[in-house]
Amino acid sequence: MRDEWDHAHTDYTLPAQRRLPASLAESESDWRHYLERSAPNGWLIRHNAMTEALTSGQPMYLLHITRDIDAIRTSRELHVSTGCLVGALYCSPLAPQRKGLRPHNLGAYLLRTKPATTPMVVEVIPDAPIRPKGIDYLHLGAIHLRTYQRYQHLLTPDEHNQLDRTVLAGLHGAAAFFDVALRNAAGRATPAPAFIDQLSDAAAAVPFLGYLYFEVLSEYLMLHSATPETKACAQEGELNNWLYKRLAFTAVDGMHELFDLARFHPRHHRLVQLVDGLEPALGPGVAEYVRRRLSHLFARTALHPSQDVAAFRFQGADLSTIQKTAPGLMGQLVFREIRYMSRYRQLYHCFEKAKAVEARDYWNKEGMPTPFNGILPKGEVGVNPLYPRSSVRVWTAEQDSRGYLHPADEIAAVVMPHLAAWWAPPRQREMQTATDGPGADLALGA
């Protein structure tokens, strides 16, 4: 169990340490070296303001936004969300300055685009420098699968049959692309335009590919952008989150109302068009980057580390074989399909609470009161509600004309390990309703 949680976390201040499948053409270390040395903003992977704040051991100041401040005042509780932070209070960093608390660019985005909310300042005083380990939800597949196997008796026979049919249909619909991706990961390059179109078709059958596709593009944009806006963020030690927000909302109609990465699967022509619209200099290289990077990430998140990328093929494999060989992929498929069941509102707390408890146990042992989204250290950071060796205080916040935040009224509220309610209408993907739990906010990943 601990090995699985280690596998799902990344410390970007240390060399890559994951055990990966054999025959990958490029290792995780190769990619880390390439991104840090070749991408214009690659230096921010290791040397960013958030990581430096964590390792300083000084008090952390975080921005949390809520849709129902009255519920927090009444209950004196802040509830956590799941998503990319598993079971932590979703926040973004605040930088203490003489003029006030300066929001990270992610927080500035949230403040500007969510006007019907109340900003809050969360102060976390740690007992020691914090381990700068981030959790990568793309690597949670094996944990999703183990959790499902533990609690599958909660499903009815009809629900089991529905799940089996849907997962099998997804595997059959995407198996040919999976094998293309594995061949690319092993170094047998295929033409990038055709690869992107195959990816787009497969993502319609397997929602997890939409998440992987989006995260690869987000990484490409944040690390390679050279706009004045991105350079200004870099001067503050931050990756530019506005880039992938614009990408998502331009790519998918209605993404503002339902943030649904299962619907993110642009074909090659549309992909180049989208990136060209954001930053023309990045358009020519995006397809080849996605081909290389997504193939590598798919292989290492889907297959068990004991497997050989060059030897395994999804086409023709039965469900039992895939479950043993590719537990990461199976876990992601099962996890997402269970969320579309009509009873998921009842099942949610069983499946998600189990993972949240394990995550907090890991964070406590690792000295992590503030885990962050570790796909990249881009500014999504949470508060661990069960960390025993730090103090937490919260205030409502006022924003001045220059954008700085100032603590206003202190609220005697406690960050609780209660999960905010989640619901998903049938076949409408990934909608988290934070308003059902006091103080929980929408985590846009996972």
Side-chain angles (χ1 to χ4, degrees):
M1 183 185 300
R2 181 175 177 79
D3 287 346
E4 290 175 344
W5 286 103
D6 267 331
H7 186 78
H9 283 77
T10 305
D11 182 345
Y12 288 100
T13 67
L14 298 174
Q17 298 175 317
R18 283 191 183 91
R19 181 178 168 229
L20 301 180
S23 299
L24 284 170
E26 297 165 302
S27 69
E28 186 177 8
S29 295
D30 293 335
W31 269 105
R32 182 86 66 82
H33 184 271
Y34 168 75
L35 294 174
E36 288 184 1
R37 303 294 178 85
S38 300
N41 306 310
W43 62 275
L44 287 166
I45 294 175
R46 187 182 297 264
H47 302 290
N48 61 83
M50 185 180 72
T51 297
E52 291 173 355
L54 291 169
T55 57
S56 72
Q58 298 300 307
M60 291 281 294
Y61 292 92
L62 307 174
L63 167 66
H64 174 73
I65 62 171
T66 180
R67 296 187 180 109
D68 197 349
I69 188 63
D70 291 336
I72 296 173
R73 292 184 189 279
T74 301
S75 67
R76 297 188 176 186
E77 294 181 356
L78 284 156
H79 293 184
V80 302
S81 55
T82 52
C84 62
L85 293 175
V86 183
L89 184 72
Y90 185 86
C91 302
S92 64
L94 293 167
Q97 297 184 354
R98 184 171 52 85
K99 300 175 183 178
L101 296 168
R102 182 187 60 78
H104 187 283
N105 73 84
L106 173 61
Y109 171 86
L110 296 173
L111 289 168
R112 183 176 298 183
T113 58
K114 298 183 181 295
T117 58
T118 301
M120 302 183 72
V121 171
V122 182
E123 177 191 68
V124 180
I125 301 179
D127 63 318
I130 299 169
R131 295 281 312 266
K133 299 182 76 170
I135 186 164
D136 182 343
Y137 78 87
L138 299 176
H139 284 85
L140 288 176
I143 295 169
H144 291 323
L145 181 60
R146 175 170 53 78
T147 305
Y148 162 70
Q149 290 169 336
R150 180 180 178 185
Y151 293 105
Q152 60 182 316
H153 62 277
L154 299 176
L155 302 183
T156 67
D158 286 345
E159 287 168 340
H160 275 292
N161 291 335
Q162 173 193 336
L163 181 64
D164 287 346
R165 287 194 303 268
T166 307
V167 169
L168 277 171
L171 288 170
H172 290 157
F177 171 75
F178 292 159
D179 289 343
V180 168
L182 291 184
R183 288 196 295 272
N184 277 268
R188 295 174 58 188
T190 59
F195 180 91
I196 300 300
D197 286 345
Q198 289 174 295
L199 166 63
S200 176
D201 293 339
V206 176
F208 174 62
L209 288 174
Y211 290 75
L212 196 59
Y213 192 1
F214 179 76
E215 295 295 353
V216 167
L217 285 173
S218 299
E219 177 187 80
Y220 177 74
L221 292 171
M222 285 188 287
L223 294 180
H224 292 85
S225 173
T227 64
E229 176 187 76
T230 298
K231 290 179 180 178
C233 292
Q235 288 178 352
E236 301 290 354
E238 300 171 2
L239 291 164
N240 183 4
N241 289 259
W242 290 68
L243 296 164
Y244 65 83
K245 303 290 189 183
R246 294 180 186 126
L247 174 73
F249 297 137
T250 303
V252 181
D253 291 338
M255 193 71 100
H256 292 83
E257 289 75 35
L258 179 64
F259 198 90
D260 180 7
L261 292 179
R263 296 185 294 154
F264 185 87
H265 43 81
R267 296 179 71 80
H268 176 258
H269 175 74
R270 179 60 173 155
L271 169 63
V272 175
Q273 185 182 58
L274 286 167
V275 174
D276 187 68
L278 290 170
E279 193 166 341
L282 300 183
V286 65
E288 179 60 19
Y289 184 90
V290 171
R291 182 197 68 78
R292 287 179 56 210
R293 185 63 167 153
L294 188 140
S295 297
H296 172 81
L297 287 179
F298 173 75
R300 87 180 203 199
T301 58
L303 298 188
H304 190 274
S306 65
Q307 297 302 308
D308 188 326
V309 172
F312 182 70
R313 291 292 175 267
F314 282 91
Q315 294 180 94
D318 60 33
L319 193 61
S320 176
T321 299
I322 294 175
Q323 185 168 297
K324 294 175 183 176
T325 305
L329 176 63
M330 283 295 297
Q332 296 286 0
L333 292 175
V334 168
F335 166 61
R336 284 175 169 76
E337 290 305 326
I338 287 178
R339 290 198 291 183
Y340 312 143
M341 290 181 173
S342 60
R343 279 204 313 132
Y344 188 62
R345 196 161 190 170
Q346 293 99 309
L347 298 171
Y348 160 76
H349 286 279
C350 301
F351 287 101
E352 298 310 309
K353 182 178 179 179
K355 286 177 279 193
V357 169
E358 288 185 9
R360 293 164 192 152
D361 180 62
Y362 178 85
W363 295 337
N364 287 357
K365 291 175 181 175
E366 292 293 303
M368 297 168 57
T370 50
F372 64 91
N373 181 356
I375 291 180
L376 277 179
K378 60 183 180 178
E380 292 179 306
V381 61
V383 178
N384 172 2
L386 290 180
Y387 194 76
R389 301 185 299 278
S390 64
S391 63
V392 179
R393 298 170 67 187
V394 296
W395 295 262
T396 58
E398 296 177 351
Q399 189 173 24
D400 64 29
S401 59
R402 296 168 296 184
Y404 289 87
L405 291 177
H406 305 271
D409 299 324
E410 184 168 4
I411 299 177
V414 176
V415 181
M416 298 292 290
H418 302 318
L419 301 180
W422 178 297
W423 70 285
R427 308 316 301 170
Q428 293 187 36
R429 317 275 188 172
E430 327 312 351
M431 185 174 182
Q432 185 172 353
T433 53
T435 54
D436 289 345
D441 189 22
L442 181 65
L444 298 182

